[in-house]
Amino acid sequence: MKKNWWKFIPLFAMAYAIPFAFLGEVSVQTILHETIRNLYFHVTMWFSMMILFIVSFVNSIRYLGSNQLLHDYRAAMYAKTALMFGFIGIFTGMVWANNTWGTPWVNDPQLNGAAITILSYLAYFILRNSVKDEQKKARLSAVYNIFAFALMFVLLGILPRINDSLHPGKGGNPGFGKYDLAPAMRTVFYLSILSWTLIGVWISQIQIRILRIQSKKQ
Amino acid sequence: MNSDIKSLFKQISILLWKETTLEFRNMNALNSVLLYVFSTVFICYQSFTSIPEISVWNALLWIIIIFSSVNAVSRTFNSEPPARQYYYYQLADPVAIISAKILYNAFFLLALSSLSFGVYSIVLGNHIPLTQLSSFMLVLSIGSIGISSLFTMVSAIASRTGNSMGLISVLGFPIMIPLLITVIRASKLIADGLSWNQYAKYVYAIGGIDLMIIALSVILFPYLWRE
């Protein structure tokens, strides 16, 4: 119980943030209108996905330094949770795009980057499944994870800035921070990022525990 | 320290020489890659006859280059029996091994992509203005350096698993796309006859991605090698 107190944070934060997201007051923009409420789901989902991918990347580096299988389990399971968040982020983004740009998918550097990120992490799991030996699997997938993460960073961070993009915050478009968001919106936004990330950590911890039990049984 | 670097360079040059000798001693692989390029271009010629649209011409050229490069580079770590590779690993520094492989593949792909471009433009027409030819060759070279080093590293990862040929494309294509998008964008702007200022940022981006791939390969390869 002593170590589990943080699990109450997303519980209470979400109990506040989800009703606020649907009912609270928002600052209405010209094209966005009420769809700006998706800010609490889509954008926060991508923020926590990035945080979880960074955790996975750091664990891959730590595995190469220490050869402890626990770090490999962490890297794989945080990447798995982040991948799930990525899928949810893409779907919420499609709902949003359908209402503001008119179609669920446009050929945009930011959207392509998202799709390719998901593809390269799916490739990461295919690589993991194709190796039987635990240590070998861990080493190969750690190397690929570091390689893919670095290129994904280029893809999501640099390319959308030198190409034109419809997406806010890229290609000369201002991000939402530039608009006058109501102060209450900001609070809820940061609370949502925190609680989605903590929920992701929670899910990953359960998965890591399952993996450890399975490896002990063998 | 100084003598370490000297011996590293010596190892790299010996390994490079070994790669080249092996390549020319066994002409099969070289010939099959050349045949691949010629037949792909010929198939494109049969299906298109001529391509007036610049964007289609450009995309098709890069697709041909990419697939022939994957074909050429994917045999890097499979051409020799595993036992002999362990022998090399005992003799040489892993940094020297990966550097020699990357250098050799970069030279090989430079030649291969220039050849593909030559054959392609003879058969299907050339859309690059003569004044832009030097900048197009620049993009072609740094593009093939990037593709070759990325696939060298990916084939090093894949060769450690059981089924490497299938895995190379699965692992390589998703992470190659950022490079490919930038290269296609840059060469499209060059073919459109724009000035250096308008596509310089893409050239710098390709150069940056190349440096990153090479640096990561040199840092990460020693971990793959540890068995």
Side-chain angles (χ1 to χ4, degrees), chain A residues 116 136 139 144 162-163, chain B residues 160 171 185 202 223 226:
Chain A
I116 296 159
K136 195 177 194 180
R139 200 170 47 242
Y144 186 74
I162 61 173
N163 291 314
Chain B
R160 298 268 141 181
L171 298 180
R185 219 32 102 79
Y202 293 104
Y223 291 100
R226 206 194 288 161

Side-chain angles (χ1 to χ4, degrees), chain A residues 2-11 197-199 201-203 205:
Chain A
K2 271 179 210 156
K3 280 184 187 167
N4 289 335
W5 57 272
W6 57 269
K7 289 175 184 166
F8 289 98
I9 298 176
L11 195 73
T197 313
L198 288 180
I199 288 176
V201 173
W202 192 352
I203 297 174
Q205 284 199 341

Side-chain angles (χ1 to χ4, degrees), chain B residues 5-222:
Chain B
I5 292 176
K6 247 182 200 165
S7 86
L8 191 69
F9 276 113
K10 201 172 173 211
Q11 286 182 13
I12 292 176
S13 63
I14 292 172
L15 285 167
L16 256 182
W17 181 244
K18 180 218 85 180
E19 294 280 332
T20 326
T21 335
L22 271 183
E23 185 75 78
F24 282 98
R25 206 175 277 169
N26 180 12
M27 294 290 276
N28 280 348
L30 189 67
N31 288 342
S32 71
V33 170
L34 291 182
L35 186 64
Y36 187 90
V37 169
F38 287 127
S39 47
T40 324
V41 172
F42 195 68
I43 289 170
C44 292
Y45 174 61
Q46 289 302 323
S47 17
F48 287 93
T49 322
S50 76
I51 307 178
E53 189 97 12
I54 293 182
S55 57
V56 177
W57 181 88
N58 184 36
L60 201 59
L61 172 63
W62 278 105
I63 289 172
I64 291 174
I65 290 178
I66 295 265
F67 277 91
S68 45
S69 333
V70 174
N71 229 17
V73 176
S74 59
R75 68 204 157 82
T76 315
F77 284 93
N78 296 324
S79 55
E80 291 175 81
R84 204 189 295 168
Q85 288 196 10
Y86 287 125
Y87 176 58
Y88 294 139
Y89 291 141
Q90 287 185 348
L91 291 180
D93 194 328
V95 174
I97 291 179
I98 189 74
S99 314
K101 294 265 187 200
I102 287 178
L103 272 175
Y104 177 75
N105 280 331
F107 282 127
F108 189 78
L109 275 204
L110 275 179
L112 188 69
S113 53
S114 325
L115 180 78
S116 316
F117 171 60
V119 176
Y120 185 78
S121 52
I122 288 170
V123 178
L124 279 156
N126 184 10
H127 281 288
I128 307 291
L130 271 183
T131 48
Q132 302 277 66
L133 201 59
S134 55
S135 24
F136 181 78
M137 289 313 283
L138 175 70
V139 169
L140 197 70
S141 337
I142 54 179
S144 23
I145 290 172
I147 294 168
S148 64
S149 40
L150 194 147
F151 275 100
T152 308
M153 187 58 187
V154 167
S155 78
I157 296 177
S159 72
R160 298 268 141 181
T161 69
N163 116 64
S164 62
M165 286 316 271
L167 266 182
I168 287 173
S169 36
V170 171
L171 298 180
F173 280 116
I175 56 176
M176 191 200 52
I177 294 173
L179 183 66
L180 183 64
I181 293 174
T182 329
V183 164
I184 287 185
R185 219 32 102 79
S187 61
K188 170 77 169 50
L189 292 179
I190 290 171
D192 283 339
L194 295 179
S195 66
W196 167 256
N197 291 335
Q198 273 149 310
Y199 56 79
K201 58 182 181 182
Y202 293 104
V203 176
Y204 296 142
I206 301 168
I209 296 176
D210 282 10
L211 283 182
M212 204 180 72
I213 294 172
I214 293 172
L216 280 173
S217 311
V218 171
I219 294 169
L220 292 175
F221 185 74

Side-chain angles (χ1 to χ4, degrees), chain A residues 69-82:
Chain A
L69 274 178
L70 180 63
H71 293 307
D72 172 61
Y73 294 158
R74 282 194 187 139
M77 290 304 120
Y78 279 106
K80 199 174 182 182
T81 318

Side-chain angles (χ1 to χ4, degrees), chain A residues 162-214:
Chain A
I162 61 173
N163 291 314
D164 294 323
S165 174
L166 286 169
H167 197 277
K170 302 288 154 61
N173 291 340
F176 285 108
K178 296 272 162 42
Y179 296 122
D180 46 323
L181 293 179
M185 283 181 74
R186 253 173 228 284
T187 322
V188 176
F189 179 68
Y190 292 124
L191 262 185
S192 304
I193 294 179
L194 179 72
S195 36
W196 288 130
T197 313
L198 288 180
I199 288 176
V201 173
W202 192 352
I203 297 174
S204 320
Q205 284 199 341
I206 294 173
Q207 300 255 29
I208 294 161
R209 227 174 289 154
I210 294 173
L211 262 186
R212 291 182 71 179
I213 294 168
Q214 277 174 348

Side-chain angles (χ1 to χ4, degrees), chain A residues 32 38 47 53 59 72 79 87 107 119 156 187-188 202 208:
Chain A
L32 295 169
N38 206 347
F47 267 87
F53 273 140
N59 272 303
D72 172 61
F87 276 119
N107 187 13
L119 280 183
L156 291 176
T187 322
V188 176
W202 192 352
I208 294 161

